[in-house]
Amino acid sequence: MAKLIDGKAVSAQVKEQVRIETAELMAKHGIQPSLAVVIVGSDPASRVYVNNKKKACEAMGFKSLEYALPEETTQEELVALVKKMNADPEINGILVQLPVPKHINDMAIIKAINPKKDVDAFHPENVGRIAIGEFKFLPCTPAGVMALIDSAGIEVAGKNCVVIGRSNIVGKPMGMLLMHRNGTVTVCHSYTKDLASITRQADILVATVGKPNFVTGDMVKEGAVVIDVGINRLDNGKLCGDVNFAEVEPKASYITPVPGGVGPMTIAMLMRNTLTAAKLQNGIKD
Ligand code: GUN
């Protein structure tokens, strides 16, 4: 029987700390952190995520701005909005909700964001900083995974860490963060041969595939720590992770549930990054 890592509880702790530091920043320096969120089109999942981000901002005492743009918005229009926000001292963090409509090149938008306001840490400058370990912001989901691992007192150094998935948003930076902690990291993907033989070596297994119940019991070593980044909506409307919980939970030592695992951590880390951005932009060190 695995111990559950409670993402709701850990995210509540992170957010409470951010809320306290925000109140101090307001009291000492009169600075209210602000996050601008841009959503293009009407993807229902993106709408839910953006609403959750706005609610979290309010709970932190942040100013929250939303730019909801129509599906037909051009890349040039979106870049122009980002540039306007870059120049606005009232905005500390800029987040363009992904995915953007197909006619817009997401990398062109990410590159337009001022790296100091890039609270997703997706800009090439921030990605490079993460690679060399000189970062200001960490991407929210991988940072949330690390916070969950830390909350359970799990040591990464020397462990075999296997990440399934190599996206720019999660898989690649996840591998980098585990390497920074001296894990021995393998990043697997759709071209990986005999995936199960690799995942069975994992002391720490992170699934970020985007396929429901992808990781089955036979892919997991007895006593492994299993982190499920997937949030998949099934036909019956229920949320389901990338890990087959019923099969994997009896073998794992620790496991994150879906919902209530990694999901709540992403927003908590976004709040942390927005506060960090406000401090950095105002030359406040602590
Ligand atoms: N879409 C899914 N996850 C994310 C994220 O972390 N940031 C942004 N901007 N869009 C997303």
Side-chain angles (χ1 to χ4, degrees), residues 95-98 120 122:
L95 182 145
V96 178
Q97 185 66 31
L98 301 177
D120 269 322
F122 292 166

Side-chain angles (χ1 to χ4, degrees), residues 3-12 14-15 140-141 143-149 151 207 226-231 239-241 245 254-269:
K3 287 193 185 130
L4 280 191
I5 307 181
D6 184 348
K8 268 194 197 166
V10 181
S11 81
V14 173
K15 285 192 285 187
C140 301
T141 300
V145 170
M146 294 313 299
L148 288 179
I149 289 174
S151 77
V226 180
I227 308 286
D228 190 348
V229 180
I231 303 179
L239 286 184
C240 163
F245 190 89
Y254 289 90
I255 191 165
T256 61
V258 177
V262 176
M265 294 306 296
T266 299
I267 289 197
M269 293 329 217

